[in-house]
């Protein structure tokens, strides 16, 4: 048996090596582009409600309550050029956060004078210690009530995974966020306040605290379930020797979310009183406090969603994440009906409800890819700056409310009139970003594309076969 030696020249070696190198580089490029796309999508989605300028930090004189919060007032400055930017909660198209544009915020400052203040040190210690207590209380509550379905005499209305989820909501998800993310970042940044505030703000920018919105939307069902089985729950509470009970356990998430901005406001107030000159820390805490209050606004508004009549839970799952709600005077053109409306913005659709005293009656909902928002053309009217017209795609054979909308394939559906022009400006900025994100997602779903590495791999394989065979 003879062995045949294969002779290779440099051309063969280089060709094969180049082939594998190209495939490797294509794979690396694909991963890099995928990461960039994910970052861009996350930035767009979080900018809808989170990103905001934070040049200076407003001090609220009234405490933040879990019932309602107010948007930050725009501070004044000597130049007066930032007032227009800071007046809008959502105006982030033309600039970055103001703190990132300031050179002095890019360099670390001496935080010794901050810790020298006993009041500020006490506030930081309270922030961290209450976070430890919060995590421990949630863990204890989950230990007491997280396995009710396994209790022998549990009533049928509380048995099963579905009822357990309905009773406790997503407390386990909230616990995981604070135990694995928030508490560790506080502990490792105890001596670096700027790092603590910056890392904390990132979680709001990434919408990680949306779990509180989901928890709030399920609160009504949980309260009803607890009321229906109050006697059994009290008996079970006595048997496990729980002094507080399930009601106290389930109210803690909202109490904790409300407590954050209060502590930060105390920190900022003492910061100014002490005359500390460490501006990077001040800028970071202002940015975080602003995001916290806006997250709390969304949580408070989400509490009304379960009160919408004729809107079942299955619909909510299809609407996407909730973003904000706003009241308008609505005029529905097809029915010529006028009423006071509350409009709810979700990632995938807009929901219109009619306000009837303490009730919300569901009226219409529209997917973002099917609607367009416009300002009225009649600029002479006094309400022009306070009005938004909602147009929907014209159906085949449908009638149009105006010749202009018919020629463009759309018809006027609603006219929304706000109490102030600033409300319309903020609302349009939010909706335009949501619509852009929704349309991009819709376009990606309807577009077929082959992976780049697959296409190049096939081409290279064909070339190799033709070259050597």
């Amino acid at each position: 048996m003879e062995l045949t030696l294969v002779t290779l020249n440099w051309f063969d070696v280089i060709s094969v090596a180049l082939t594998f190198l190209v495939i490797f580089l294509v794979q690396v490029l694909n991963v890099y582009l995928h990461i960039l796309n994910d970052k861009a999508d996350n930035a767009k989605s979080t900018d809808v409600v989170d990103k905001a300028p934070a040049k200076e930090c407003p001090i609220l004189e009234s405490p933040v309550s879990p019932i309602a919060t107010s948007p930050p007032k725009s501070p004044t400055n000597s130049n007066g050029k930032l007032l227009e930017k800071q007046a809008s909660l959502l105006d982030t198209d033309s600039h970055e956060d103001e703190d990132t544009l300031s050179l002095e915020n890019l360099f670390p400052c001496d935080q010794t004078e901050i810790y020298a203040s006993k009041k500020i040190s006490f506030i930081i210690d309270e922030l961290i210690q209450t976070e430890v207590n919060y995590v421990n209380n949630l863990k204890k509550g989950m230990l007491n009530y997280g396995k009710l379905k396994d209790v022998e005499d549990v009533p049928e209305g509380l048995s099963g995974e579905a009822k357990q989820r309905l009773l406790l909501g997503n407390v386990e998800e909230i616990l995981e966020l604070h135990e694995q993310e928030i508490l560790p970042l506080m502990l490792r940044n105890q001596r670096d306040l700027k790092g603590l505030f910056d890392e904390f703000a990132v979680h709001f920018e990434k919408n990680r605290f949306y779990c509180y919105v989901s928890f709030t939307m399920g609160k009504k069902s949980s309260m009803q379930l607890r009321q229906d089985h109050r006697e059994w729950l009290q008996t079970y509470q006595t048997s496990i020797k729980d002094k507080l009970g399930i009601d106290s356990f389930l109210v803690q998430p909202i109490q904790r979310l409300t407590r954050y901005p209060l502590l930060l406001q105390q920190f900022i107030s003492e910061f100014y009183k002490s005359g500390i000159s460490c501006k990077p820390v001040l800028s970071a805490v202002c940015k975080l406090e602003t995001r916290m209050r806006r997250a709390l606004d969304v949580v408070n508004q989400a509490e009304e969603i379960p009160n919408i009549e004729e809107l079942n839970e299955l619909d909510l799952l299809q609407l996407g994440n909730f973003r904000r709600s706003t009241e308008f005077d609505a005029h529905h053109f097809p029915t010529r009906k006028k009423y006071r409306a509350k409009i709810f913005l979700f990632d995938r659709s807009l929901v219109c409800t009619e306000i009837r005293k303490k009730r919300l009656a569901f009226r219409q909902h529209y997917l973002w890819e099917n609607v367009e928002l416009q300002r009225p053309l009649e600029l002479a009217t006094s309400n022009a700056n306070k009005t938004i017209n909602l147009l929907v795609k014209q159906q085949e054979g449908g009638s149009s409310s105006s010749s202009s909308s018919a020629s463009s394939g759309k018809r006027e559906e609603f006219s929304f009139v706000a109490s102030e022009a600033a409300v319309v400006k903020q609302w349009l900025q939010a909706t335009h970003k949501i619509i852009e994100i929704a349309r991009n997602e819709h376009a990606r779903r309807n577009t077929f594309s082959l992976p780049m590495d697959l296409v190049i791999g096939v081409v290279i394989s064909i070339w190799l076969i033709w070259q050597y065979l």
Side-chain angles (χ1 to χ4, degrees):
M1 184 176 181
E2 297 181 358
L3 295 177
T4 303
L5 296 178
V6 179
T7 58
L8 296 177
N9 54 39
W10 281 108
F11 175 78
D12 294 331
V13 174
I14 293 175
S15 299
V16 175
L18 183 61
T19 300
F20 285 101
L21 179 61
V22 169
I23 294 177
F24 174 76
L25 292 177
V26 169
Q27 292 285 359
V28 173
L29 180 61
N30 274 345
V31 173
Y32 178 70
L33 292 177
H34 179 72
I35 294 174
L36 289 182
N37 289 333
D38 287 345
K39 288 183 177 180
D41 292 341
N42 290 335
K44 288 181 179 179
S45 61
T46 55
D47 276 348
V48 175
V49 291
D50 290 329
K51 298 284 281 183
K55 177 69 174 178
E56 299 291 345
C57 193
I59 305 296
L60 298 183
E61 296 180 358
S62 58
V64 179
S65 68
I67 303 299
T69 55
S70 59
K73 296 181 179 179
S74 301
T76 58
N77 52 61
S78 57
N79 297 327
K81 296 181 180 179
L82 297 176
L83 295 180
E84 182 66 21
K85 294 181 180 180
Q86 294 181 340
S88 171
L89 297 181
L90 297 162
D91 187 11
T92 58
D93 291 330
S94 60
H95 63 282
E96 300 290 337
D97 285 343
E98 296 296 331
D99 62 309
T100 62
L101 297 179
S102 178
L103 291 177
E104 59 186 345
N105 293 332
L106 299 179
F107 299 97
C109 65
D110 185 10
Q111 301 185 23
T112 305
E113 57 179 340
I114 300 179
Y115 292 101
S117 172
K118 294 183 179 180
K119 292 184 178 180
I120 291 181
S121 297
F122 177 80
I123 294 172
I124 297 301
D125 291 341
E126 182 181 0
L127 176 66
I128 298 175
Q129 186 57 49
T130 52
E131 186 71 18
V132 173
N133 296 339
Y134 177 53
V135 170
N136 291 335
N137 290 338
L138 290 186
K139 292 171 68 175
K140 182 178 179 180
M142 289 301 299
L143 183 64
N144 290 336
Y145 301 99
K147 300 294 183 181
L148 287 182
K149 59 185 179 61
D150 298 332
V151 179
E152 294 182 359
D153 61 338
V154 62
E156 185 178 354
L158 295 176
S159 61
E161 291 288 347
K163 294 296 182 180
Q164 182 79 27
R165 177 74 177 181
L166 194 63
L167 178 66
L168 301 181
N170 61 333
V171 174
E172 190 172 2
E173 180 184 358
I174 295 175
L175 172 60
E176 181 180 351
L177 170 65
H178 287 268
E179 184 180 21
Q180 299 183 7
E181 302 290 343
I182 306 304
L183 180 57
L185 78 83
M186 287 185 179
L187 293 177
R188 68 173 174 265
N189 290 294
Q190 292 185 73
R191 307 302 298 179
D192 180 14
L193 293 182
K194 187 180 186 306
L196 190 155
F197 298 141
D198 285 340
E199 288 189 36
F200 209 160
V202 168
H203 288 280
F204 284 93
E205 294 169 4
K206 292 183 177 180
N207 213 19
R208 294 294 307 276
F209 277 77
Y210 188 81
C211 53
Y212 282 89
V213 177
S214 302
F215 178 80
T216 302
M217 288 193 291
K219 188 170 67 173
K220 182 179 179 180
S221 300
S222 175
M223 293 176 63
Q224 184 62 49
L225 193 61
R226 280 177 271 156
Q227 185 63 33
D228 293 343
H229 301 86
R230 179 64 60 192
E231 184 177 350
W232 186 89
L233 287 172
Q234 289 177 347
T235 303
Y236 176 76
Q237 175 185 343
T238 303
S239 66
I240 63 174
K241 299 180 181 180
D242 180 20
K243 297 181 180 180
L244 299 179
I246 190 172
D247 291 337
S248 298
F249 163 53
L250 292 178
V251 80
Q252 291 189 47
I254 302 302
Q255 288 180 342
R256 184 55 182 169
L257 190 64
T258 306
R259 185 62 178 163
Y260 283 134
L262 289 176
L263 289 172
L264 294 186
Q265 288 167 24
Q266 294 175 17
F267 178 91
I268 296 167
S269 178
E270 291 298 329
F271 199 97
Y272 279 115
K273 291 179 181 179
S274 303
I276 300 173
S277 60
C278 188
K279 192 171 182 180
V281 173
L282 177 61
S283 179
V285 70
C286 286
K287 181 174 68 173
L288 174 59
E289 191 262 354
T290 300
R291 279 151 176 71
M292 283 182 171
R293 282 188 288 106
R294 290 180 186 158
L296 188 58
D297 282 339
V298 176
V299 170
N300 292 332
Q301 294 171 3
E303 193 170 3
E304 296 181 309
I305 295 177
N307 298 328
I308 302 176
E309 299 175 354
E310 302 178 7
L311 185 67
N312 56 50
E313 296 181 4
L314 293 178
D315 291 329
L316 290 177
L317 297 177
Q318 300 172 2
L319 299 179
N321 289 351
F322 170 68
R323 293 302 181 180
R324 67 186 299 166
S325 64
T326 310
E327 290 190 13
F328 293 97
D329 290 324
H331 179 197
H332 189 222
F333 293 114
T335 61
R336 298 183 180 179
K337 184 177 180 181
K338 296 182 179 181
Y339 52 85
R340 188 65 178 170
K342 178 161 286 189
I343 311 302
F344 294 83
L345 303 184
F346 294 84
D347 279 348
R348 301 191 186 101
S349 62
L350 174 149
V351 175
C352 181
T353 65
E354 179 181 355
I355 301 175
R356 291 183 175 181
K357 295 183 179 180
K358 296 183 179 181
R359 298 186 299 115
L360 293 175
F362 172 76
R363 286 293 169 255
Q364 286 87 17
H365 88 280
Y366 306 93
L367 297 177
W368 287 116
E369 56 262 28
N370 297 329
V371 300
E372 181 178 323
L373 300 174
Q374 292 182 352
R375 289 289 186 91
L377 298 178
E378 297 81 3
L379 298 178
T381 61
S382 59
N383 288 333
N385 293 331
K386 304 178 183 179
T387 304
I388 305 171
N389 289 336
L390 185 144
L391 283 67
V392 299
K393 289 184 178 180
Q394 182 68 44
Q395 302 294 330
E396 294 183 3
S399 60
S400 175
S401 58
S402 65
S403 58
S404 60
S405 62
S407 61
S408 61
K410 299 180 178 64
R411 63 178 173 84
E412 290 183 336
E413 183 77 4
F414 266 106
S415 175
F416 301 129
V417 180
S419 57
E420 298 179 358
V423 175
V424 173
K425 181 181 179 181
Q426 296 170 8
W427 196 80
L428 281 176
Q429 289 167 348
T431 54
H432 284 166
K433 292 174 183 177
I434 296 174
I435 290 174
E436 181 182 357
I437 295 170
R439 285 178 175 172
N440 289 338
E441 292 180 353
H442 182 73
R444 286 199 298 266
R445 289 197 301 266
N446 295 333
T447 302
F448 175 77
S449 60
L450 289 173
M452 185 187 300
D453 54 348
L454 178 61
V455 175
I456 296 181
V458 171
V459 172
I460 293 176
S461 299
I462 295 175
W463 179 81
L464 287 174
I465 294 173
W466 175 80
Q467 182 74 21
Y468 294 103
L469 297 181

